[in-house]
Amino acid sequence: MFEIVYQEIKEEKEYESILKKVLEQCFREEKIENSKLYITITLTNPETIQKINQEYRKIDKATDVLSFPMFEKDELDKKIEQKDFVYEDILGDIVISIEKVEEQAKEYGHSFEREFSYMVVHGFYHLMGYDHIKEEDKKEMRKKEEKILKDLEIERK
């Protein structure tokens, strides 16, 4: 379902348990738990995510989460509907800056778990083809994100 790559930060079991819990719920919610889709999650620092952001998006700035989907939304929807998965199709890659998650958790008054879980869910829905550029798309994406967190009882503090 997923693999974790640690880049320039140390490994933490807490990250892995949160990722497992959150991604399992995301896969269940979207009814893809029996697919062979998997995600690569890179956990890193602000400097590395800034380099990735610059290289792939031409934005020279550190951010909290980046998502790199492998499918367009309609293509993925069709694959899911037809259960058309080859062995271990890559859903995409998510890159998360752990330091940014820690900063934002303090800034918003959340627990680390809540902020990190939100980043994972947010990245997951980008991989699923959702976006937040248009207001109506943003509402749909936020509704899905909040449902996952509510179902997991990871509430805003």
Side-chain angles (χ1 to χ4, degrees), residues 34-49:
N34 295 319
S35 72
K36 292 188 170 40
L37 289 169
Y38 78 92
I39 299 170
T40 300
I41 310 272
T42 301
L43 303 178
T44 192
N45 60 23
E47 296 77 25
T48 301
I49 207 167

Side-chain angles (χ1 to χ4, degrees), residues 44-56 59-63 66:
T44 192
N45 60 23
E47 296 77 25
T48 301
I49 207 167
Q50 180 172 350
K51 287 176 192 165
I52 295 167
N53 205 13
Q54 171 62 37
E55 182 177 346
Y56 292 99
I59 299 172
D60 190 20
K61 167 180 151 182
T63 188
L66 293 171

